[in-house]
Amino acid sequence: MALRTTLVKRVLSGNRGHISALGGQASSRTLPKRAIRLSVESSWPRSLALPRCYPAVTSGHVASRPLCSTPSRCAAKLTADSYPNLKRDDRFAELTPEHVSHLKNILRHESAVIDGVSGAVEGDIEPFNEDWMHKYKGQCRLVLKPGSTEEVSEVLRYCNENLLAVVPQGGNTGLVGGSVPVFDEIVINMSRMNSIHSFDEISGALVLDAGCILEVADHYVAEKGHIFPLDLGAKGSCHVGGNVSTNAGGLRLLRYGSLHGSVLGMEAVLPDGTILNDMCTLRKNNTGYDLKQLFIGAEGTLGIITKLVIQCAQRSSAVNVALFGLESYEKAQRAFKEAKGQLSEILSAFELMDGTSQRLVHQVRGGSKPLEGDHPFYCLVETSGSNSEHDYEKLEKFLEDVMSNEVIADGVVAQDATQIKNLWSWREGITECIGLWGGTYKYDVSIPLSEMYSIVPDVKARLSEAGLLGETDSYPVVDVVGYGHMGDSNLHLNIAVRRYDKEVERVLEPYVYEWIEKRQGSISAEHGLGLAKKNYIGYSRNDTMLRLMKQIKALYDPSGIMNPYKYI
Amino acid sequence: MALRTTLVKRVLSGNRGHISALGGQASSRTLPKRAIRLSVESSWPRSLALPRCYPAVTSGHVASRPLCSTPSRCAAKLTADSYPNLKRDDRFAELTPEHVSHLKNILRHESAVIDGVSGAVEGDIEPFNEDWMHKYKGQCRLVLKPGSTEEVSEVLRYCNENLLAVVPQGGNTGLVGGSVPVFDEIVINMSRMNSIHSFDEISGALVLDAGCILEVADHYVAEKGHIFPLDLGAKGSCHVGGNVSTNAGGLRLLRYGSLHGSVLGMEAVLPDGTILNDMCTLRKNNTGYDLKQLFIGAEGTLGIITKLVIQCAQRSSAVNVALFGLESYEKAQRAFKEAKGQLSEILSAFELMDGTSQRLVHQVRGGSKPLEGDHPFYCLVETSGSNSEHDYEKLEKFLEDVMSNEVIADGVVAQDATQIKNLWSWREGITECIGLWGGTYKYDVSIPLSEMYSIVPDVKARLSEAGLLGETDSYPVVDVVGYGHMGDSNLHLNIAVRRYDKEVERVLEPYVYEWIEKRQGSISAEHGLGLAKKNYIGYSRNDTMLRLMKQIKALYDPSGIMNPYKYI
């Protein structure tokens, strides 16, 4: 213990200006103590224009393809082929030139329509037919980009009357195939509705179009000293409308709560063209049922969100980050409890990474590690507040306490923005690094904290017993890792594989879902259902809940034109 | 300016141990700087067993009766008489001894039924028929107190099949007549379902019955270092189920957000007996429509909430309070903006009181005022955090800045729990004090901050022009005051009157509602609709929204037995 505590002790008792912060190498610079803003490198797509070939990952039951080296190898299989049991619903009409002509008249602008019915537009339409992971590929032949709520209303009313199925689409950064067509559904892409209408600097109420990019919105309010209450890797591409439609969780939920609390107002269009206008900019409004809540997390199956009012909090000028190693998951829980108690109002992230995940990241990256030696678990804690000195003092005190009580075994505190970025990269880099062996089976789940991590050794034991996990190429499975947002009981269970293997899948499923069901967990913490998890919702919801959900779907979308084949 | 800043300057620059904090009287005690917990005297009912005769107030369009001196004078008029246009719905069955016998069999326990059908139980049934303000009085002859979700389900199914109308009732502390019958509806009182089932000290998830009293729940989690995310004057009587059913806002919304964010799970019973079980204890669960959201703020018109899971935050060990005077509402807005910026994560309340309200409180109470002289506006700012020294330092810095920039004219900081209580009493005592002249017309509204206060001088001018406001007994109106939760854009517009006067009402309405409608405000910020505001919802919601709300009502309660004659 004495040896392992050296580093953090040095950090905690040393002159702040000369702290050895990362990997034990003493810094020769005198780092001024100042407010630093978190900036984390993202492994997500920044925009649709970038090369769309990312480390292959899966979210749910389908294994990823190995990391491809050229875009051509990334071409997705048609969803209709991957899911042979899915059949096109014959109730839906086939698009005719008359339909297209009518819809073009509604939108007026030439650039607002990509028409694959009247002519060949293969390349132009592809990005709208396919998800960024190249796992899902639809056969849409018409993309509409309405420029106003009235246009969305006219389009939907026409589609509803003519039984033309549609897929609402934001930045198309989803992980479960929710934002691309399955067959020939019309894509209604919201990118042209991207204005920020107003921001009240006193109340923090931001009024904006659904097609605004999350990062643009966050930068906009940042300039006015505020923060968008949501942050996630895809922020450079995703739309706020898509975020709300999928009830995105992300990195700031621990601090700013869920979108059910921070969406103050909404405008949405129902399939029959009805405009639901609830653009309240106020925090308190108890005048009737809060219908907008149904659209938060409905994944475009009830209507299309066109405008939003978001409550933005004051932005913290000071951010501090620490990383520490622990001997057991039980100690990680104790550390989290202690962090909640001591850091309380400034705690903005508490992330868990197991030793295996960090070993795999190190294997890929090489170089020096933030902490000496290996630990069974690592936690990253971030504080955000209005006074850097105060926050640093609280963080120091917290680390001293958990060190002296032997809750943590070792730890470091970042001294500047670069070090913060470096520490975060050991958490944020996991997805990318473990994908490099070939592919990953990914499960994004919520499990009560006391049992959250147990699923990892259980799954590992099961794969080992089945003779599927080993160190040589003859075994499909490389290893099983667990990491995630501990502050939100949200675990990412990842199975790193060398190759796709039906046997691995059979050992994993339905075992994983049953395991989660037994603990009253959620099979989808934040990614949503989409196409990937449509058939698995029964593990997290009982039959009565499903019946009541279908009742709501039937109420708002009796013809079922909104995002068919998905969700529930 | 120099003179007026004396007090706060002394506070800000003096030895903290010898600060003259309230009314300029120097304290001779050396007050240790320590964590202090807020404890505010409430003017609300603590329990139904207390004498039920409070200062008369109204919430909405009906004027109050003058303050009564004996309980007998407080006997309420039958709602059916106060609202002669309301007629009993003939579709509903009249209660028969057979109905009662069947319902008794469901509940089994003798104490679970108050049966006014088979025998005389006048006194026993009265508290369930009447609200605490004695404004609404129903004619219920049967009160049921189910002891389990299954009993609620059986009762509702039977009532639904037999077209027996019901009123769900929690602590019966509402302000709009939502929790008492209008005619002979059966009261389903939830007080017997009052268990706390579990609390996860690591995640903060509290699982409890709907009939738990808010204060009991808050004390329970306080012992474990946590805080219930809601606080309001009626906490000693109100049920958490009622709080969620009415989407209560209260004092902690600024810090902990709305119940739409902090209710993690819910169990509710629909009119047909269906048990909606969504008792998720996790913060993230994206598996289908979030149906529980519809029941938050539905005021018992869709079903009965039976159990809840509430996300409780870490309780702050340190609380600081300051009160200051300002020259204008414009400066109050600047002070709020500055407080948000500088106090950020520790800001837990920012309350506004106008000079008139403070003058009336002083007129009633006498004694010394917290600040010398009179100011057109006063603000109370509260901070809650984990480190008293840090918070005090931030508060001092904030006050220094707003003083030196002449945003505030004068101010004091409380030095201990007694002083905190005293400062809060100048805000919390308004309702009681202004009611002493005879009665109060009360409007609980949300208005965008920039215009929030303007309604007060506008209403005052209107009443003056009509010759209704003056200093002698010949004028019905004493004065018009405005105060409220500035942090939530929530204003309490109060018209203090010497007597009830139809002419005052005619001058006030629909003027007040139209004024709010023009500013896209809400006619009910937190009190809800109930019976009082059922007919005024159109000022805050358009026809489409109302149609969609009625659609939801018809979906869940096609026979309309749930809390009829109210809401929408």
Side-chain angles (χ1 to χ4, degrees), chain A residues 202 226 246-247 260 278 284-290 301 314 340 390 394 446 490 522 524 526 541 567, chain B residues 202 226 246-247 260 278 284-290 301 340 390 394 446 490 522 524 526 541 567:
Chain A
I202 298 180
H226 285 71
T246 54
N247 189 29
H260 286 288
D278 182 16
K284 289 180 174 175
N285 182 14
N286 278 347
T287 51
Y289 305 123
D290 198 351
T301 61
Q314 201 65 29
K340 270 186 63 183
H390 289 170
K394 288 184 182 103
S446 286
N490 181 186
S522 170
S524 176
E526 52 184 6
R541 298 289 197 173
Y567 202 61
Chain B
I202 299 181
H226 285 72
T246 53
N247 190 28
H260 287 287
D278 182 15
K284 289 179 174 176
N285 181 17
N286 277 349
T287 52
Y289 304 124
D290 199 351
T301 61
K340 269 184 65 185
H390 290 171
K394 289 185 181 100
S446 287
N490 181 186
S522 169
S524 175
E526 53 183 5
R541 299 288 195 172
Y567 203 62

Side-chain angles (χ1 to χ4, degrees), chain A residues 54-205:
Chain A
Y54 299 94
V57 291
T58 74
S59 172
H61 65 296
V62 182
S64 63
R65 276 157 285 96
L67 181 65
C68 52
S69 53
T70 62
S72 65
R73 285 188 56 200
C74 280
K77 231 168 115 177
L78 283 180
T79 304
D81 294 337
S82 317
Y83 290 76
N85 293 332
L86 265 183
K87 302 293 174 205
R88 184 183 182 283
D89 190 333
D90 285 341
R91 290 182 310 114
F92 298 135
E94 307 252 4
L95 261 176
T96 64
E98 290 69 41
H99 291 140
V100 176
S101 162
H102 188 98
L103 290 163
K104 277 183 176 172
N105 275 342
I106 293 173
L107 298 195
R108 286 182 296 271
H109 280 74
E110 197 59 42
S111 64
V113 180
I114 304 176
D115 170 12
V117 177
S118 315
V121 286
E122 197 113 338
D124 292 343
I125 219 163
E126 200 182 329
F128 303 93
N129 249 331
E130 213 175 310
D131 70 311
W132 68 274
M133 298 184 303
H134 312 289
K135 278 181 61 192
Y136 304 93
K137 184 171 184 172
Q139 302 162 56
C140 150
R141 294 187 301 148
L142 183 68
V143 175
L144 305 175
K145 299 180 185 175
S148 69
T149 304
E150 291 65 34
E151 287 183 8
V152 175
S153 168
E154 280 187 64
V155 164
L156 280 187
R157 186 185 300 115
Y158 181 79
C159 290
N160 197 45
E161 282 167 1
N162 290 276
L163 283 173
L164 294 164
V166 303
V167 175
Q169 188 177 76
N172 196 12
T173 59
L175 289 155
V176 289
S179 57
V180 286
V182 177
F183 297 102
D184 58 345
E185 302 92 275
I186 297 169
V187 166
I188 302 181
N189 183 287
M190 298 300 289
S191 54
R192 281 182 66 230
M193 288 184 66
N194 60 0
S195 298
I196 293 177
H197 295 281
S198 68
F199 180 67
D200 185 325
E201 294 197 36
I202 298 180
S203 74

Side-chain angles (χ1 to χ4, degrees), chain A residues 143-326:
Chain A
V143 175
L144 305 175
K145 299 180 185 175
S148 69
T149 304
E150 291 65 34
E151 287 183 8
V152 175
S153 168
E154 280 187 64
V155 164
L156 280 187
R157 186 185 300 115
Y158 181 79
C159 290
N160 197 45
E161 282 167 1
N162 290 276
L163 283 173
L164 294 164
V166 303
V167 175
Q169 188 177 76
N172 196 12
T173 59
L175 289 155
V176 289
S179 57
V180 286
V182 177
F183 297 102
D184 58 345
E185 302 92 275
I186 297 169
V187 166
I188 302 181
N189 183 287
M190 298 300 289
S191 54
R192 281 182 66 230
M193 288 184 66
N194 60 0
S195 298
I196 293 177
H197 295 281
S198 68
F199 180 67
D200 185 325
E201 294 197 36
I202 298 180
S203 74
L206 173 69
V207 181
L208 77 178
D209 281 349
C212 284
I213 286 174
L214 174 58
E215 195 168 50
V216 173
D218 191 45
H219 283 171
Y220 181 87
V221 296
E223 280 171 18
K224 295 156 198 320
H226 285 71
I227 190 166
F228 200 95
L230 176 75
D231 187 23
L232 39 81
K235 64 185 164 196
S237 309
C238 64
H239 293 185
V240 295
N243 296 147
V244 173
S245 286
T246 54
N247 189 29
L251 300 169
R252 292 178 186 161
L253 190 129
L254 177 69
R255 179 64 168 273
Y256 301 108
S258 95
L259 290 169
H260 286 288
S262 47
V263 173
L264 297 181
M266 181 188 290
E267 180 191 75
V269 181
L270 305 187
D272 67 359
T274 297
I275 298 171
L276 178 152
N277 182 342
D278 182 16
M279 288 293 283
C280 181
T281 58
L282 303 158
R283 295 192 76 167
K284 289 180 174 175
N285 182 14
N286 278 347
T287 51
Y289 305 123
D290 198 351
L291 301 180
K292 69 174 181 294
Q293 298 287 348
L294 284 178
F295 294 78
I296 301 175
E299 300 185 24
T301 61
L302 299 180
I304 298 183
I305 296 173
T306 46
K307 282 196 183 73
L308 290 161
V309 186
I310 306 287
Q311 175 71 39
C312 297
Q314 201 65 29
R315 202 173 193 97
S316 296
S317 53
V319 176
N320 288 302
V321 169
L323 180 85
F324 43 87
L326 311 100

Side-chain angles (χ1 to χ4, degrees), chain B residues 379-392:
Chain B
C379 289
L380 181 148
V381 60
E382 184 194 82
T383 66
S384 307
S386 53
N387 184 311
S388 192
E389 295 285 337
H390 290 171
D391 296 359
Y392 197 90

